[in-house]
Amino acid sequence: MNDTQAWNWEHAAAVLPELLEGLQITILATVVGMVIASVLGLLVAIVRRSRLRVVTFPIGFLVEFIRSTPLLVQLVFANLLFTQFPSLAIGCVVLGVHYATYMSEVYRAGIDAVPKGQWEAAIALDLPRSRTWGAVVLPQAIRNTLPGLGNYAISMFKETPFLFAIAVVEMYTAAQQYGAETFRYMEAITMAGLLFLLVSYPTSLLVRRLENRLA
Amino acid sequence: MPENDTTPAIQFQGVGKRFGDNVVLDGLDFSVAKGDRVTLIGPSGSGKTTILRLLMTLEEANDGLIYVDGDPYTHEMRGDKRVAIPEKRRSLVRRRVGMVFQQFNLFPNMTVLENIIEAPIHVLGKPKAEAIASAEALLDKVGLADKRDARTTQLSGGQQQRVAIARSLAMEPEILLLDEVTSSLDPELVADVLGVLRNIAETTDITMLIVTHEMQFAREVSNRVLMFDGGKIIEEAAPDTIFTSPTHERTKEFLRAIL
Ligand SMILES: Nc1ncnc2c1ncn2[C@@H]1O[C@H](COP(=O)(O)OP(=O)(O)OP(=O)(O)O)[C@@H](O)[C@H]1O
Ligand SMILES: [Mg+2]
């Protein structure tokens, strides 16, 4: 019994290949999730600026609904609802939609930070809406949103263990599986935690540098 | 509406504009003939900027009608009802009007050249090569040919304003609105910008509506000065007349204060 309590380096090494495989899924889910969150978040931010209440009201309600319910519940619910899709795909989409509601706020702030004079110059030149957004406002707004995007990417990365609940074998699930097979949870979970740290800490340093450069 | 030379470039008919309880313009009537260079003067808050912004559709009038070259612009009468003109039709009139802002409002994410060719390509549908050629000619005219590929943020205020002037000229406007275009410039940079505008006044027949505190400039460039106060034009005359022998008491006071 005592033996199982002590830290065992052999197990720590043995779990690594499985964890690294899980890490690939973790990173995949984060990247796909962030792509969905970035695109969908931008669309939500633009649509919510509309003056049409028939459009803004339902979108606003949906955003509030998604933000007010736990990610874990959303994952399990979507997995029960869409049994015909692979769990990994459902996980990516749910992560993406969940974070889109936060990303839309980042975009909104970025768009609001573009000076009024830029919109007015666009009107004075009679630019069509598509050019005003595409060539003038968004290039300036998105610059402001890059640090926010980075921060949410890190926090999404750290929330991928919730995918455990829908049996996607990302890094945390891989660690759990190793623990269940060998009863060496301590080594498996610790190593998984270290790998999370190894990825997210340098990334957060990068984001902070980006923040300083844009400030 | 049939065109003829007496159709004014700009016509305000009973235009009213309020911000909340603040009545800025009240039944304003005035017109600017084609090719006129008109300077608006008047105390701070009298509504000079508002007039230009109405002409750029940056504000919406509460009453009255505005015509550009005889065409109804933002509203028209249908029977005895004043109705808003849809955006598509406004846009066709608006592209004949250009505006230069006090704060330049260049697009910082584009180079100088990109700022100038953006609208000719995407609004007028000019081929890119042609847009670039005219942009280069305009840059030459405003004395910034060597800044073609510079970022706008690397330019001085005076240079930015000259790019902004070139950008609005690239749309070949019939009417050019200038709102205190030298007010945010260091004194030593003002002369370059005024020089460019004087050159435009001499070499084109663009109708110009100018708001400025540079009375010397108003005197050299404009052929008519409108004095605004209390939402109305209280005096209008040739610059020499109004600056040397204003008739209205408020005009005298105003000119005494700024000259
Ligand atoms: N967007 C706005 N909202 C509320 N009030 C406004 C707005 N724009 C202008 N006003 C008010 O309208 C009045 C006229 O403003 P305007 O800017 O046209 O004056 P101006 O003659 O250009 O003055 P200045 O010489 O100081 O530039 C002012 O009382 C101003 O406070
Ligand atoms: Mg003003």
Side-chain angles (χ1 to χ4, degrees):
Chain A
M1 203 57 206
N2 257 348
D3 198 35
T4 58
Q5 296 294 314
W7 177 264
N8 183 324
W9 283 104
E10 270 164 39
H11 277 292
V15 71
L16 256 182
E18 285 166 47
L19 291 184
L20 287 176
E21 223 161 280
L23 180 60
Q24 287 176 30
I25 300 293
T26 294
I27 290 175
L28 177 77
T30 308
V31 170
V32 175
M34 268 324 278
V35 168
I36 295 174
S38 309
V39 174
L40 195 62
L42 179 58
L43 290 178
V44 169
I46 293 175
V47 168
R48 286 192 88 175
R49 287 178 66 92
S50 153
R51 273 185 225 100
L52 291 175
R53 281 191 46 89
V54 278
V55 182
T56 55
F57 186 77
I59 299 266
F61 178 80
L62 215 64
V63 165
E64 283 314 313
F65 179 79
I66 290 171
R67 263 195 238 164
S68 315
T69 52
L71 177 60
L72 184 61
V73 174
Q74 290 166 14
L75 280 169
V76 174
F77 180 75
N79 201 41
L80 291 172
L81 205 61
F82 302 106
T83 43
Q84 69 272 41
F85 295 111
S87 293
L88 178 59
I90 290 173
C92 291
V93 171
V94 170
L95 276 172
V97 171
H98 188 84
Y99 274 83
T101 63
Y102 294 101
M103 277 308 295
S104 74
E105 287 302 305
V106 177
Y107 284 117
R108 194 177 62 95
I111 291 166
D112 286 349
V114 174
K116 210 168 125 240
Q118 295 289 306
W119 295 91
E120 296 190 341
I123 292 175
L125 292 170
D126 199 39
L127 293 186
R129 296 297 283 173
S130 59
R131 290 302 293 178
T132 303
W133 279 103
V136 178
V137 174
L138 288 182
Q140 297 179 55
I142 284 173
R143 217 183 109 89
N144 305 335
T145 63
L146 288 179
L149 195 124
N151 284 324
Y152 278 122
I154 293 167
S155 99
M156 184 189 285
F157 176 72
K158 290 186 299 183
E159 289 203 328
T160 49
F162 281 126
L163 296 177
F164 177 65
I166 58 171
V168 171
V169 189
E170 44 60 64
M171 188 159 56
Y172 174 74
T173 313
Q176 281 287 342
Q177 285 179 352
Y178 186 88
E181 286 160 16
T182 61
F183 299 105
R184 303 300 306 200
Y185 282 100
M186 184 52 100
E187 286 80 1
I189 298 295
T190 306
M191 292 306 283
L194 279 175
L195 284 176
F196 270 113
L197 182 73
L198 220 63
V199 176
S200 61
Y201 186 63
T203 313
S204 72
L205 289 184
L206 265 170
V207 171
R208 207 162 312 149
R209 259 184 57 184
L210 185 70
E211 256 167 2
N212 290 334
R213 259 195 36 205
L214 292 179
Chain B
M1 183 167 291
E3 285 232 0
N4 61 57
D5 281 333
T6 58
T7 311
I10 300 168
Q11 190 176 5
F12 275 51
Q13 244 176 38
V15 172
K17 177 64 188 167
R18 299 179 298 274
F19 293 103
D21 291 339
N22 182 7
V23 179
V24 179
L25 303 177
D26 185 14
L28 177 65
D29 292 308
F30 82 102
S31 60
V32 176
K34 278 184 200 146
D36 254 8
R37 277 64 193 260
V38 174
T39 298
L40 302 176
I41 61 172
S44 181
S46 57
K48 307 179 294 293
T49 295
T50 302
I51 289 173
L52 300 194
R53 291 174 61 83
L54 286 169
L55 278 165
M56 206 69 259
T57 66
L58 299 174
E59 303 287 354
E60 180 110 352
N62 301 106
D63 311 290
L65 302 175
I66 299 172
Y67 296 91
V68 167
D69 203 4
D71 294 324
Y73 189 2
T74 58
H75 295 81
E76 63 189 344
M77 299 307 289
R78 208 168 287 155
D80 52 6
K81 260 185 81 180
R82 174 179 180 268
V83 293
I85 291 175
E87 172 54 29
K88 267 217 176 95
R89 265 179 67 206
R90 289 183 179 193
S91 155
L92 294 175
V93 179
R94 183 166 51 221
R95 71 185 56 167
R96 287 145 48 188
V97 184
M99 182 160 181
V100 182
F101 300 87
Q102 184 175 346
Q103 298 299 338
F104 332 133
N105 296 345
L106 292 177
F107 304 133
N109 56 315
M110 300 182 191
T111 65
V112 165
L113 184 79
E114 287 166 347
N115 263 276
I116 301 175
I117 63 174
E118 172 65 26
I121 292 176
H122 295 282
V123 180
L124 302 180
K126 271 197 189 179
K128 192 167 180 191
E130 192 184 310
I132 291 177
S134 356
E136 283 170 341
L138 283 167
L139 278 174
D140 205 35
K141 190 167 181 171
V142 300
L144 291 171
D146 56 326
K147 299 292 182 196
R148 180 186 186 276
D149 298 311
R151 291 262 141 204
T152 61
T153 44
Q154 295 162 342
L155 303 181
S156 74
Q159 292 171 330
Q160 290 192 47
Q161 193 58 296
R162 284 184 279 154
V163 173
I165 292 168
R167 180 174 70 174
S168 57
L169 290 179
M171 287 294 284
E172 295 162 15
E174 294 162 22
I175 298 167
L176 190 58
L177 310 172
L178 303 158
D179 192 9
E180 313 249 21
V181 295
T182 58
S183 299
S184 56
L185 299 180
D186 293 335
E188 71 271 20
L189 302 176
V190 169
D192 287 340
V193 171
L194 292 186
V196 163
L197 291 174
R198 209 175 296 125
N199 178 252
I200 293 164
E202 280 160 14
T203 57
T204 71
D205 52 9
I206 298 175
T207 305
M208 293 166 95
L209 195 50
I210 304 160
V211 175
T212 184
H213 286 122
E214 301 276 344
M215 292 304 144
Q216 187 55 33
F217 174 69
R219 215 166 168 153
E220 284 175 36
V221 170
S222 52
N223 57 335
R224 211 150 64 94
V225 176
L226 304 182
M227 169 71 192
F228 256 90
D229 197 26
K232 290 230 187 296
I233 297 169
I234 57 170
E235 183 162 358
E236 77 169 272
D240 282 331
T241 319
I242 205 162
F243 291 133
T244 52
S245 47
T247 51
H248 205 285
E249 203 47 49
R250 289 286 294 149
T251 316
K252 285 180 196 164
E253 256 174 62
F254 173 74
L255 289 172
R256 246 197 321 273
I258 66 160
L259 287 179

